[in-house]
Amino acid sequence: MPQFPLDLTEAFIQLGTIRYDETGLDAVLTRIAQVARDGIPGAAEVSVTLVHGTEATTAAYTGDLALRLDEWQYEQGRGPCLDAATTGTVMIVADMATEGRWPEWARRAREAGAGSSMSIGLPIQEAVVGALNVYGTRPGAFDEVAEAAQTFADHAAVALANAHLYDSTATLAQQMQSAMHSRAVIEQAKGIIMGERRCSADEAFAILAKVSQNSNRKVRDVAESLVRQVTAGGAAPRQSTRPEG
């Protein structure tokens, strides 16, 4: 097993202590960027690029330099962070002054104060890929740490994938809870209308749907309004729930 610098070993530990039930996806991304900046030797600023389809964004960054260097690549549609994200490989720019693959971007990066960079692909899930972008102020900052940084990125990818999965699962749970609440409210409103009108469940729902259409409101909102009025002590507003025609 390769021996990492002490600070990078500590970085692995910090990634493993992330609590997904207490931290949102954005916070996890920011934490990964901060841990990478503090743990990877030679790192001055760090960012995380996410690519969904053809759209690339910087989801987290530790400083304005990293953000500018990322966005210049997005403007041109090419650069080390985009190539690393789409290929899942490591893209190292050893010296911005002699870089020939992305000369225009390298020139602007050098003028902004970057001497070298390292972008490492982060496979997250089928629809989203990304890259961990590490920027150094001097040339050759990452010549001897690429392997260790790749291992860090592997750990970061797992943390990010877990955070994305947890976030997606939590969102699905919220949507299901909302749907169950909506169904319960609608059933409650139907019961009120059935009691008032002596009608069937289908007829009661038809009344709600008609009011929804006429008032340009969701059926759930119409139902909630009716339930609130009744539970507040008033009678069900017969006129508001009577279909036209």
Side-chain angles (χ1 to χ4, degrees), residues 14-228:
Q14 291 189 39
L15 286 180
T17 61
I18 294 175
R19 291 285 303 274
Y20 304 114
D21 58 340
E22 299 176 355
T23 308
L25 180 59
D26 290 343
V28 171
L29 289 164
T30 298
R31 184 65 180 142
I32 288 173
Q34 292 171 339
V35 171
R37 180 193 60 192
D38 297 340
I40 297 177
E45 300 294 350
V46 174
S47 66
V48 178
T49 293
L50 295 184
V51 181
H52 189 286
T54 59
E55 182 179 356
T57 58
T58 296
Y61 58 96
T62 61
D64 289 340
L65 174 62
L67 178 61
R68 291 201 306 273
L69 296 183
D70 287 355
E71 291 183 339
W72 288 340
Q73 296 179 62
Y74 307 154
E75 291 173 6
Q76 297 177 8
R78 59 191 306 269
C81 81
L82 293 177
D83 286 4
T86 55
T87 64
T89 58
V90 181
M91 295 290 174
I92 295 179
V93 176
D95 189 346
M96 294 294 181
T98 60
E99 173 57 43
R101 291 166 294 182
W102 312 283
E104 178 60 24
W105 173 81
R107 179 188 63 78
R108 296 180 69 178
R110 187 175 71 255
E111 292 174 352
S116 56
S117 73
M118 175 173 56
S119 292
I120 307 169
L122 296 175
I124 302 168
Q125 49 122 332
E126 290 183 3
V128 181
V129 295
L132 180 71
N133 310 305
V134 189
Y135 297 105
T137 56
R138 61 179 178 81
F142 310 113
D143 289 350
E144 298 181 2
V145 299
E147 183 179 353
Q150 173 69 71
T151 303
F152 173 87
D154 291 343
H155 283 70
V158 172
L160 186 51
N162 287 340
H164 191 279
L165 177 61
Y166 186 89
D167 186 71
S168 299
T169 303
T171 299
L172 178 60
Q174 291 172 355
Q175 291 172 342
M176 292 178 64
Q177 186 176 16
S178 177
M180 291 172 65
H181 172 72
S182 297
R183 180 174 179 178
V185 169
I186 291 172
E187 289 300 318
Q188 202 172 354
K190 283 167 58 179
I192 293 171
I193 296 172
M194 289 166 65
E196 289 263 335
R197 301 295 183 87
R198 300 294 188 268
C199 62
S200 68
D202 289 343
E203 289 170 334
F205 184 79
I207 291 173
L208 284 174
K210 186 66 173 179
V211 174
S212 169
Q213 181 180 359
N214 291 343
S215 61
N216 196 28
R217 291 185 295 164
K218 295 179 179 179
V219 172
R220 179 194 62 197
D221 295 337
V222 173
E224 285 181 341
S225 178
L226 176 59
V227 171
R228 279 198 305 268

